Amino acid sequence: MKKLAGVMASAAILAGSLVTGAYAQETIKIGVTQPLTGAFAASGNYVAQGARIAEDEINRAGGVMGKKIQLIVEDNKSNPTEAVSTVEKLIQRDRVPLLIGAWSSTLTLAVMPKLEEYKVPMIVETSSSGKITTSGNPYVFRISPTSAMEAVAFQPLVKKMNIKKADFLYTNNDFGIGSGQEFAKMLKENGVQIGISETMDPKATDFSAQLAKIKASGGDSLFVTTAVEQLTIILKQAKEQQLKVRIVSCGGSNSPDQLINQAGEAANGSFHTVFFPPWFPEVVKNPEPAKRYMDEWTKRGHNVGGLTEGFRGYDAVYVAAEAIKKAGKAESEAIRNALWDVKVKGIYGDIAFTKQGPAGKESGQHMPGVYLVTISNGKVAKTSF
Amino acid sequence: MDQLLQHLLNATILGGTYALLGIGLTLIFGIMRVVNFTHGELYAFGAYCMYALVMPLGLNFFMALVVAMALGALLGATIELLLLSRLRGADIDTTMLVMIGAWIALQNAEQLAWTGVALSINNPFPSEPLIVGPLSVSWNRVYVFFVALLLILGTYYLINRTHLGKAMRATFQDRDTAALMGIRIDRIHTATFALGSALAAAAGALLGPVFVVAPTMGDLAAAKAFAIVILGGLGNIKGATLGGFILAFVEELGAGYISSGYRDAMGFLLIILILLFRPTGLFAQKERVG
């Protein structure tokens, strides 16, 4: 019943945004492209829910420059081609001066040429592939960490966790490959022997062959990069195949709460990098917005397992609003320039952009915190390193 | 050596479920000449039924499988009566387009009802796997394998040894003559589609607890089912059974010893090769059912 109520509520919100579309002149529009259906639907919906919370907060506090902000959320269906269509639609038809998106690295990379073509900046809230900010697209401003930053943050733990030989299993897309390469590079530099690197199709559900191979390789740690659905199955199948290695999941889209819920016992003893730890929000740099976001999330009855994703949308909308305020007008070029001066106390830390990529065409990159948590006895705990 | 044995065990277990996926689809194509794009969604439907019956409703795990199959048959019969019965005599393209529409509608309905968050189903088996020497496999998978074999044998028996099966085969061989012999063609069509759907739902209900349940789970299952059916020869149940096992072995060994990134490509590569040399599939002498 609760679920149905949730569906009805989101339908009502959807209908509401259609109605408010008529007063377009009164609001400042921000385009959001997220995977609301398809393989990444769960995460995309969480990000959109977090974004809606920020939208309402900002509007309750008087909006931006006396106008309300209005998110126009489009479903990119977890599909790069659709992602490009949503961006075309948001820019051409809704005339949004600024975008937020597009969750997975592959989706973000697919829409990036359109940003340059139409000269509209985009705040990237989740994607971690290095290519996004190093390929020379000056319309990209990323608040999420790159795989390389994640690997560097992990570095001090290599000795403490006593990692001697590492194997890899990652999803065969920009996100997985990028992460696998960065972690392998970092581990190698720290004297860790690299075993085998196995890949999997983003839609695959059976990993028995890969896991049998990894078992034979005999490493002590397995680094896995994929979204939570595959990770759940991997943990279960690793237990089935008696793979007794330390499993570390990278990429921050691993929702430990959901893993505990769904993989049960098999999740015990695994490690996960997250970019916001809702189990102990006091450790983040700005606990105040974190608490506000978490309270509202619970009040709205959203899935607790989504807290580790929803904050990305929440922060992205605050950054967007701040950039528009700084620009003083809702125009793409002014907003792009203003983004360089944005300072937002967010859940991702003190958000500010530094330059990355080839000179003259730099993208903006924020340096957020990375946290490693572990699951023990069905609970998420801080690591004791 | 241990690794090879584990690969072989994994492939055998996987093959059983692949075969189950394949026979439901091949049955419908063989008898009805319908390319059933809703097969994957019926698979997902079976898994969601299993979830709903076991988790919130607390029904017995084994009973739930039977109920899920019955519901799958019911949904299949509904699709047949609502959509396909009106399209009898329509060309295969029209039917295909309608089925693609039904596929998309069903998948989105699943997401609307259950959201995109993956769900998992508890199983009553011990959480420690079954260990034989260096090999291990979960009890749940062993159960899935034997139930799949049972269902395949049951289907085989039904098609070859029962009156209904005889009527189905007759309808396939010559519709007009079968009708003249007093076979109710319409009912045979509905029954066939319901049977194929029940098998798809059974596969979903069996594998739901092994993997996780999500609205898009049917896509991959459908792709595999089509591969298996093409491999074994369209409309050939024995072929689909063997095709399921062959695909599983090719995938598992290909991923184990060549490249895991191309695991799903291996199967399709094999199909291209087979189609080049045996365009009717591996086991089709001529078109037949059974």
Side-chain angles (χ1 to χ4, degrees):
Chain A
M1 212 48 229
K2 211 169 180 183
K3 226 166 230 158
L4 189 67
V7 171
M8 302 281 269
S10 47
I13 291 167
L14 205 70
S17 67
L18 288 175
V19 173
T20 50
Y23 309 98
Q25 298 85 343
E26 306 299 319
T27 60
I28 297 173
K29 293 179 188 171
I30 300 168
V32 181
T33 170
Q34 286 293 319
L36 303 179
T37 57
F40 312 128
S43 299
N45 279 292
Y46 292 148
V47 172
Q49 286 167 345
R52 289 288 182 201
I53 292 178
E55 178 192 27
D56 291 345
E57 278 182 10
I58 291 167
N59 285 339
R60 256 203 312 274
V64 177
M65 302 186 304
K67 291 181 182 170
K68 283 194 183 323
I69 58 164
Q70 181 198 351
L71 298 186
I72 302 180
V73 183
E74 287 291 331
D75 176 15
N76 63 36
K77 304 189 174 72
S78 309
N79 176 332
T81 320
E82 294 282 349
V84 174
S85 312
T86 59
V87 166
E88 289 262 8
K89 186 253 170 193
L90 287 166
I91 296 174
Q92 297 276 45
R93 223 169 70 212
D94 300 316
R95 303 265 159 212
V96 301
L98 174 63
L99 289 159
I100 295 172
W103 201 74
S104 97
S105 295
T106 303
L107 299 172
T108 301
L109 286 164
V111 305
M112 277 168 48
K114 289 288 160 198
L115 306 178
E116 274 199 283
E117 185 183 335
Y118 294 113
K119 306 201 182 316
V120 174
M122 178 161 97
I123 299 165
V124 176
E125 85 297 331
T126 307
S127 314
S128 62
S129 164
K131 280 191 272 180
I132 291 168
T133 38
T134 55
S135 63
N137 186 322
Y139 293 90
V140 167
F141 292 82
R142 168 155 57 182
I143 57 174
S144 52
T146 63
S147 301
M149 291 163 62
E150 200 188 335
V152 168
F154 194 88
Q155 191 168 350
L157 299 175
V158 175
K159 287 271 159 349
K160 289 179 188 163
M161 288 171 86
N162 198 19
I163 301 173
K164 296 265 182 281
K165 181 176 176 187
D167 295 308
F168 291 85
L169 177 59
Y170 45 81
T171 179
N172 202 358
N173 59 18
D174 298 292
F175 165 54
I177 296 169
S179 165
Q181 285 170 347
E182 292 297 344
F183 270 85
K185 198 174 111 202
M186 181 274 294
L187 289 168
K188 214 170 178 177
E189 282 165 4
N190 285 273
V192 175
Q193 188 193 344
I194 305 297
I196 52 170
S197 296
E198 291 296 300
T199 56
M200 56 204 168
D201 186 271
K203 276 188 180 169
T205 50
D206 193 286
F207 313 104
S208 49
Q210 287 94 327
L211 292 169
K213 223 167 143 182
I214 287 162
K215 192 176 174 184
S217 162
D220 53 58
S221 304
L222 172 64
F223 288 80
V224 182
T225 307
T226 181
V228 59
E229 291 81 6
Q230 284 192 327
L231 191 56
T232 307
I233 306 174
I234 290 168
L235 288 172
K236 284 209 253 181
Q237 292 184 356
K239 190 175 161 68
E240 286 169 23
Q241 297 219 0
Q242 298 274 292
L243 182 66
K244 285 173 180 143
V245 301
R246 178 198 290 127
I247 295 180
V248 183
S249 83
C250 319
S253 287
N254 34 27
S255 182
D257 281 322
Q258 196 171 322
L259 292 176
I260 292 170
N261 196 355
Q262 307 203 332
E265 263 181 62
N268 284 336
S270 56
F271 291 83
H272 310 275
T273 63
V274 293
F275 308 136
F276 167 55
W279 314 276
F280 13 88
E282 68 282 356
V283 305
V284 301
K285 190 138 189 205
N286 301 311
E288 197 268 324
K291 206 183 157 307
R292 208 171 52 210
Y293 151 77
M294 286 174 65
D295 288 347
E296 186 62 23
W297 187 272
T298 327
K299 214 170 98 193
R300 293 188 181 198
H302 294 333
N303 189 334
V304 188
L307 276 169
T308 48
E309 288 285 338
F311 82 99
R312 304 171 187 272
Y314 181 85
D315 268 5
V317 171
Y318 268 98
V319 171
E322 185 62 24
I324 296 166
K325 209 181 289 174
K326 271 212 152 48
K329 50 188 170 184
E331 285 168 19
S332 297
E333 202 51 36
I335 293 172
R336 185 171 78 94
N337 288 326
L339 273 163
W340 289 112
D341 304 320
V342 158
K343 286 194 170 45
V344 172
K345 287 202 170 301
I347 305 172
Y348 260 134
D350 291 338
I351 301 172
F353 296 104
T354 52
K355 293 188 168 180
Q356 253 191 16
K361 297 191 80 184
E362 293 99 337
S363 309
Q365 174 68 52
H366 164 55
M367 309 278 170
V370 176
Y371 310 87
L372 185 74
V373 299
T374 179
I375 296 176
S376 79
N377 296 322
K379 285 213 162 51
V380 180
K382 292 182 196 174
T383 48
S384 51
F385 305 113
Chain B
M1 192 58 204
D2 290 354
Q3 193 192 339
L4 176 66
L5 286 174
Q6 182 74 49
H7 282 314
L8 294 177
L9 176 68
N10 291 342
T12 311
I13 298 270
L14 192 63
T17 51
Y18 277 2
L20 186 61
L21 267 174
I23 57 168
L25 190 65
T26 210
L27 202 64
I28 289 171
F29 183 83
I31 292 174
M32 302 175 66
R33 293 279 151 204
V34 169
V35 182
N36 182 16
F37 281 102
T38 62
H39 198 70
E41 292 324 307
L42 283 153
Y43 167 83
F45 176 77
Y48 273 112
C49 284
M50 192 73 184
Y51 173 82
L53 292 166
V54 172
M55 301 302 282
L57 298 178
L59 190 70
N60 176 284
F61 187 81
F62 305 98
M63 255 332 274
L65 172 68
V66 180
V67 180
M69 276 183 74
L71 292 172
L74 203 66
L75 178 63
T78 313
I79 292 173
E80 210 283 327
L81 292 170
L82 221 59
L83 301 174
L84 292 172
S85 66
R86 293 154 201 266
L87 292 169
R88 256 208 276 276
D91 61 287
I92 195 159
D93 297 342
T94 313
T95 320
M96 224 146 77
L97 282 176
V98 170
M99 294 315 275
I100 290 173
W103 163 29
I104 296 169
L106 282 170
Q107 187 171 97
N108 283 286
E110 278 151 21
Q111 192 183 332
L112 193 66
W114 300 100
T115 75
V117 181
L119 302 165
S120 81
I121 305 169
N122 294 342
N123 67 59
F125 302 102
S127 69
E128 288 307 314
L130 168 66
I131 302 169
V132 185
L135 304 180
S136 65
V137 58
S138 77
W139 288 99
N140 194 5
R141 284 202 175 210
V142 176
Y143 160 74
V144 168
F145 177 71
F146 284 107
V147 175
L149 282 194
L150 213 65
L151 288 171
I152 292 165
L153 289 174
T155 309
Y156 195 71
Y157 179 83
L158 190 137
I159 296 291
N160 288 297
R161 295 276 185 276
T162 66
H163 187 74
L164 178 66
K166 206 173 190 176
M168 283 175 174
R169 282 182 289 139
T171 309
F172 170 63
Q173 276 169 12
D174 192 329
R175 233 170 99 171
D176 297 336
T177 315
L180 287 172
M181 296 299 123
I183 294 171
R184 307 271 302 260
I185 303 289
D186 280 339
R187 286 201 185 164
I188 293 299
H189 277 234
T190 311
T192 310
F193 202 84
L195 175 62
S197 302
L199 291 172
L206 286 169
L207 290 179
V210 174
F211 303 135
V212 290
V213 186
T216 49
M217 68 187 292
D219 291 352
L220 190 71
K224 304 260 172 188
F226 277 107
I228 292 157
V229 168
I230 295 166
L231 204 62
L234 295 165
N236 185 333
I237 291 182
K238 228 185 271 175
T241 311
L242 285 169
F245 281 98
I246 292 171
L247 184 69
F249 275 88
V250 169
E251 277 188 10
E252 178 82 23
L253 296 175
Y257 295 102
I258 303 172
S259 160
S260 55
Y262 293 96
R263 177 177 182 147
D264 293 311
M266 307 272 177
F268 292 100
L269 204 65
L270 179 75
I271 289 167
I272 293 171
L273 284 177
I274 287 173
L275 288 182
L276 277 179
F277 296 103
R278 286 194 68 116
T280 50
L282 268 187
F283 305 102
Q285 286 113 13
K286 53 183 196 287
E287 286 191 337
R288 62 186 290 261
V289 164

